[in-house]
Amino acid sequence: MSTNGQKAIEFHNVSFRLFNGKTLLSNLEVEIYQGETLILLGRSGCGKTTTLKLINRLLDPTDGEVVVEGTATTQWDQIRLRRRIGYVIQEIGLFPHLTVEENVGVVPRLEGWDAEKIKIRARRLLDMVGLDPDRFAARYPAELSGGQRQRVGVARALAADPPIILLDEPFGALDPITRRELQQEFRSLQKRLGKTMVFVTHDVREAFFLASRIALLKDGKLVLLGQPDDLLKSDDPEARAFADCLREPESAEGRA
């Protein structure tokens, strides 16, 4: 999870408001470096998913500027930007009428890769996320468990080798054992691939396990940005609340 000091994503005084005037994000200032995993941590409704959607231009900022690879998102072609960014969500969103191999190859097909190259890439990625391609490539999503579908979702996000991966609580709907297995698999992938990753969670244990740095949000505002140990040392009441969850034996999930 080392970085080269180059900025991959920048938020410059970014705010986002709904049409009714409700503010979901206020004056966000964050720099995300190439090769790091930034965890967006916070309670439900704090602005984590809004922040994520501003990166791949599912939303445009009301004020300020989001910069990806040196260019403001509003200056990117939306399709080109999104094909530069892998996106993994809790619901996964696999196409039910496509096989696992075909699901993984969706973006490479759109990019015009030849069929044999797509097949090789898909099978390699299935193996990388812990799914034997000989067993799983020809299956359909309905034939998979939740954890297996989530692994396919991660493989699909990596298929066209995007430099940036966004993950929105990808393991939140899984049972605790499968969730832990996928967290370990994901951390192994981080080390091997060196992608820039932005990962949304409300689970402080997950944040500490995966993060290079943590951005803690509350009510649309950034209250802490730093390494995991910085959260433990912080005097901010919200940081202390999450740190207390980490110290307790039961999971923070559902508590915050």
Side-chain angles (χ1 to χ4, degrees):
M1 289 186 283
S2 61
T3 71
N4 60 13
Q6 297 294 313
K7 298 170 188 174
I9 305 163
E10 303 162 65
F11 286 78
H12 297 304
N13 199 32
V14 171
S15 297
F16 181 78
R17 290 184 297 276
L18 299 175
F19 290 115
N20 64 8
K22 181 179 179 181
T23 298
L24 300 185
L25 205 63
S26 299
N27 308 116
L28 185 64
E29 283 279 349
V30 176
E31 295 175 345
I32 303 169
Y33 297 96
Q34 290 179 7
E36 81 164 322
T37 296
L38 181 75
I39 299 289
L40 299 176
L41 179 66
R43 305 174 193 244
S44 297
C46 71
K48 304 185 299 297
T49 295
T50 299
T51 301
L52 211 65
K53 289 180 176 180
L54 287 164
I55 296 172
N56 64 357
R57 213 182 168 193
L58 291 175
L59 298 173
D60 285 334
T62 308
D63 297 298
E65 187 175 63
V66 182
V67 176
V68 174
E69 297 181 336
T71 300
T73 54
T74 52
Q75 299 302 310
W76 275 89
D77 174 78
Q78 289 180 332
I79 293 173
R80 293 305 310 157
L81 176 65
R82 290 170 191 162
R83 290 185 187 173
R84 295 281 296 164
I85 299 174
Y87 193 35
V88 186
I89 58 176
Q90 188 176 123
E91 296 82 8
I92 310 164
L94 300 181
F95 297 108
H97 61 290
L98 299 181
T99 66
V100 165
E101 183 178 300
E102 290 168 340
N103 265 284
V104 174
V106 165
V107 175
R109 276 198 301 277
L110 292 171
E111 292 284 87
W113 293 24
D114 68 69
E116 185 61 23
K117 182 180 178 182
I118 294 171
K119 181 182 182 69
I120 293 170
R121 177 67 173 167
R123 291 177 67 85
R124 180 169 174 266
L125 285 169
L126 288 174
D127 185 61
M128 189 181 292
V129 299
L131 295 175
D132 180 356
D134 289 334
R135 289 182 56 205
F136 291 97
R139 293 189 187 182
Y140 289 87
E143 301 175 87
L144 306 180
S145 70
Q148 290 166 346
R149 288 194 296 272
Q150 199 65 64
R151 289 171 187 266
V152 176
V154 172
R156 184 176 63 182
L158 294 168
D161 201 25
I164 298 169
I165 309 290
L166 308 180
L167 303 102
D168 194 354
E169 300 201 51
F171 312 140
L174 302 175
D175 65 84
I177 294 173
T178 303
R179 180 171 185 161
R180 186 63 171 176
E181 289 173 350
L182 279 177
Q183 288 170 351
Q184 291 169 339
E185 198 82 52
F186 180 78
R187 190 161 76 166
S188 175
L189 285 173
Q190 288 174 301
K191 293 177 180 178
R192 280 184 280 164
L193 300 178
K195 302 290 186 182
T196 304
M197 301 192 182
V198 186
F199 191 116
V200 164
T201 187
H202 62 271
D203 183 339
V204 68
R205 294 179 186 274
E206 184 166 74
F208 267 68
F209 188 67
L210 299 175
S212 305
R213 290 189 300 154
I214 292 173
L216 178 63
L217 298 171
K218 182 183 180 184
D219 299 329
K221 296 180 180 179
L222 182 68
V223 297
L224 180 142
L225 176 63
Q227 296 181 353
D229 283 350
D230 294 329
L231 186 143
L232 297 178
K233 300 171 185 175
S234 176
D235 291 328
D236 180 87
E238 189 72 355
R240 287 205 308 269
F242 275 87
D244 287 345
C245 290
L246 185 67
R247 296 184 183 105
E248 293 172 1
E250 68 269 21
S251 169
E253 185 178 0
R255 299 263 324 256

